[in-house]
Amino acid sequence: METPITPDERRLPIGTLSSSYAALPTRFHTHVKPTPVSDPRLIAVNTDLARVLGLTLDQFDNSELAALFAGNLLPQGGTPLAMAYAGHQFGHWVPQLGDGRAILMGEVIDTVGVRRDVQWKGSGRTPYSRGGDGRAALGPVMREYLVSEAMHALGVPATRALAAVVTGERVRRESLMPGAILTRVAASHVRVGTFQYISSLRDTDALRTLADYVIERHYPRATEAANPYLRLLESVVARQAFLVSRWMMVGFIHGVMNTDNMAISGETIDFGPCAFMDEYDPGKVFSSIDTMGRYAYSNQPKAAQWNLARFAETLLPLIHPDGATAVTLVTPIIEGFTTQFEAHWLTGMRAKLGLVTERHDDQGLAQALLDILHGHNVDYTLAFRLLTELLCDDRASAQLLTLFPHPAVMEAWLMQWRLRLDVEAMPPADRRDCMRQTNPQVIPRNHQIAAAILAAEVANDFGPFNALLSVLAKPFEERPEVYAYTVPPTDSERVRRTFCGT
Ligand code: AMP
Ligand code: MG
């Protein structure tokens, strides 16, 4: 018989934790504590992030930190709770989702004055667990840790990873896997699905409470607008248009863009079966559950817009008492997503191509390159980085051409590009330095993530994880010593499917 583990009643003084979300009506959340685990061990603590959050973790030893980040030991302050939400999953309405395996530890005000959530993920069952075990497996925890930190380093808004532990327990997925818990940090965990859930209660006061909370926390200037809720919608649309354009620039595929996985703050959230593409392919899908390719790379802007339309629907009663008028007000905002996204995309592509001025045919130049990369199955990240380096290094030029089975097509494109560059007077080294800021040398390549996970699962070796993590922290610097991490996978290394791990 299993002996129940008694929670440690001591509380760790890690900093000033509060819980503004706990003050919202009880139907928004449920108070629940993590379920203790048998043998927590620390995998990683993000000391830089802890410092930014004003948390004083260095006074504790590893066993205390392992207990904290496993939920065996609670921090002082903060009210642990699970948030209620709903959502459209692959287009289908699910009226009740919620934090089924995540528990909000509390909120901190970081060193620049921003309120941020600290949340355990994988910390045990909650009233929203439905059939699930409330746990997370080591692989997905490591993936989220690596990818969310890499996204941050790449300048893409994203939740962050504060710590990870193994639990000493096994979880049943495709097979028995080591259990783990991630502690993540978000501007907030309010999702489109949170609005959908409250909206489904048909309680306009509750909806207004949520919208006001979000405005105060994320979009305080909306209160100055004639219609603050319309401004809220505009603001979220603007942030999402920017966010998804950033994903496209780095070749990121979220994989599960359900409305419950879209944060109102505009941060990338819920790194499930996400992955970066190697060779450029607009139709690329990694997720094992995305059988129809709904969330394929090039469908992401449309998917975001669809989610935003669902968000807009929830706000209608706040925007105008007359439903038809409210629809008339929100429709151009949702339609305007496309224009905003395209503008961000083009700005981003100009930067990737090293262009500092705007010409009407820049879009065509960028698209032509992407078409060539697609047609020749060429690695996206490597191609743009070599394009950067070739400005001052002929070897990079030769290396770039070796990526193409028929280099003549690429040579013709390069001529076009050079003609376009000639329009702008800029020393090549300066242009290269600009391009280095947007064309990363390293991304979290799927096969490297898989290798790091395998080493940890099979041999309890976190060396590859730590090495990858430190390489990914500086993606834009030119470092010959990280060359091994810039190489696309061989056919045998290639990862074709990623799993949610839920
Ligand atoms: P996800 O696909 O990870 O975004 O999760 C979708 C929903 O399923 C959310 O409500 C999660 O909290 C819930 N969920 C996912 N995995 C588990 C699990 N192992 N136990 C309980 N709930 C889960
Ligand atoms: Mg989710």
Side-chain angles (χ1 to χ4, degrees):
M1 204 166 114
E2 278 181 39
T3 338
I5 301 154
T6 340
D8 193 331
E9 292 305 328
R10 212 158 39 103
R11 296 236 176 187
L12 276 195
I14 61 168
T16 309
L17 265 72
S18 54
S19 284
S20 65
Y21 209 78
L24 295 178
T26 51
R27 51 219 304 214
F28 286 57
H29 53 72
T30 304
H31 292 225
V32 54
K33 288 181 185 157
T35 307
V37 297
S38 63
D39 187 17
R41 283 171 206 262
L42 211 51
I43 303 170
V45 187
N46 191 337
T47 47
D48 289 345
L49 177 59
R51 207 168 301 120
V52 172
L53 298 178
L55 298 178
T56 51
L57 300 182
D58 38 12
Q59 52 178 321
F60 305 109
D61 63 30
N62 277 1
S63 74
E64 287 169 314
L65 291 179
L68 171 74
F69 291 119
N72 286 18
L73 191 52
L74 299 183
Q76 277 179 17
T79 310
L81 60 84
M83 292 164 69
Y85 54 85
H88 278 92
Q89 299 195 311
F90 293 91
H92 300 289
W93 172 242
V94 185
Q96 170 87 68
L97 290 164
D99 289 334
R101 55 164 166 172
I103 295 176
L104 190 63
M105 184 190 284
E107 300 150 17
V108 294
I109 309 293
D110 71 13
T111 45
V112 289
V114 177
R115 179 179 291 275
R116 292 166 84 175
D117 282 2
V118 183
Q119 189 199 59
W120 293 281
K121 186 173 176 184
S123 49
R125 289 179 53 80
T126 77
Y128 312 109
S129 297
R130 300 172 294 158
D133 61 3
R135 293 298 181 191
L138 176 60
V141 165
M142 291 174 68
R143 176 179 290 273
E144 175 153 354
Y145 200 114
L146 288 166
V147 179
S148 66
E149 285 304 297
M151 292 287 263
H152 171 72
L154 287 164
V156 183
T159 63
R160 304 282 310 272
L162 178 62
V165 297
V166 282
T167 59
E169 299 174 359
R170 304 235 146 216
V171 294
R172 184 167 291 284
R173 295 295 181 262
E174 304 84 54
S175 57
L176 278 181
M177 318 283 261
I181 300 172
L182 178 79
T183 299
R184 71 174 171 191
V185 173
S188 86
H189 285 86
V190 177
R191 305 141 190 275
V192 168
T194 317
F195 276 84
Q196 290 181 294
Y197 177 71
I198 301 298
S199 160
S200 73
L201 303 176
R202 310 247 165 252
D203 175 348
T204 309
D205 288 337
L207 187 65
R208 190 175 294 106
T209 301
L210 177 63
D212 289 344
Y213 176 86
V214 162
I215 287 174
E216 189 186 340
R217 188 158 171 184
H218 298 299
Y219 303 100
R221 303 222 23 216
T223 53
E224 297 159 19
N227 190 329
Y229 304 112
L230 199 59
R231 178 59 57 83
L232 169 62
L233 177 63
E234 284 170 341
S235 311
V236 176
V237 168
R239 289 229 190 142
Q240 287 293 335
F242 175 73
L243 177 66
V244 178
S245 79
R246 293 305 92 187
W247 293 357
M248 303 305 275
M249 291 305 120
V250 295
F252 175 76
I253 304 167
H254 183 285
V256 210
M257 290 179 69
N258 294 334
T259 56
D260 53 306
N261 292 336
M262 180 183 260
I264 296 296
S265 68
E267 288 179 333
T268 314
I269 195 168
D270 279 5
F271 297 82
C274 64
F276 283 67
M277 60 186 183
D278 296 298
E279 72 286 352
Y280 182 78
D281 177 3
K284 192 76 192 169
V285 178
F286 286 102
S287 168
S288 61
I289 53 172
D290 191 4
T291 45
M292 304 293 280
R294 180 182 170 96
Y295 302 133
Y297 173 75
S298 64
N299 287 349
Q300 297 186 115
K302 278 273 171 250
Q305 188 179 35
W306 193 90
N307 290 348
L308 290 164
R310 305 290 77 77
F311 177 50
E313 284 164 2
T314 71
L315 294 177
L316 293 176
L318 302 180
I319 284 170
H320 202 281
D322 174 52
T325 309
V327 170
T328 315
L329 289 168
V330 303
T331 302
I333 297 172
I334 296 301
E335 284 172 354
F337 172 91
T338 311
T339 324
Q340 289 192 54
F341 168 79
E342 283 170 0
H344 288 308
W345 186 92
L346 189 52
T347 304
M349 271 298 158
R350 281 201 179 97
K352 286 179 82 67
L353 295 177
L355 305 176
V356 290
T357 58
E358 298 181 8
R359 287 267 168 149
H360 78 279
D361 47 355
D362 292 343
Q363 150 107 41
L365 187 69
Q367 192 56 53
L369 175 59
L370 296 176
D371 291 345
I372 296 169
L373 297 182
H374 183 208
H376 290 77
N377 272 324
V378 171
D379 189 85
Y380 178 68
T381 306
L382 194 55
F384 274 95
R385 187 66 178 196
L386 289 172
L387 198 63
T388 306
E389 297 305 315
L390 70 73
L391 287 168
C392 302
D393 183 351
D394 289 341
R395 284 168 312 173
S397 184
Q399 200 191 336
L400 177 62
L401 291 176
T402 62
L403 302 179
F404 295 84
H406 306 291
V409 188
M410 187 57 187
E411 277 169 324
W413 184 88
L414 283 170
M415 284 220 325
Q416 292 289 315
W417 179 56
R418 289 206 183 267
L419 285 174
R420 172 66 182 83
L421 294 186
D422 288 345
V423 178
E424 303 170 356
M426 190 189 227
D430 291 359
R431 198 186 302 274
R432 178 203 60 194
D433 292 348
C434 287
M435 289 174 72
R436 277 182 178 171
Q437 297 311 305
T438 179
N439 294 317
Q441 185 190 32
V442 284
I443 51 159
R445 288 188 185 271
N446 224 345
H447 68 292
Q448 286 153 357
I449 295 174
I453 291 172
L454 194 68
E457 282 176 346
V458 172
N460 194 30
D461 176 8
F462 287 89
F465 169 80
N466 287 318
L468 187 52
L469 195 59
S470 87
V471 166
L472 293 169
K474 290 179 182 150
F476 297 119
E477 277 181 24
E478 180 64 18
R479 289 174 296 169
E481 69 274 18
V482 306
Y483 177 76
Y485 292 91
T486 69
V487 183
T490 61
D491 241 16
S492 65
E493 287 174 324
R494 185 180 295 279
V495 179
R496 291 186 172 79
R497 281 278 166 269
T498 49
F499 296 88
C500 243
T502 51

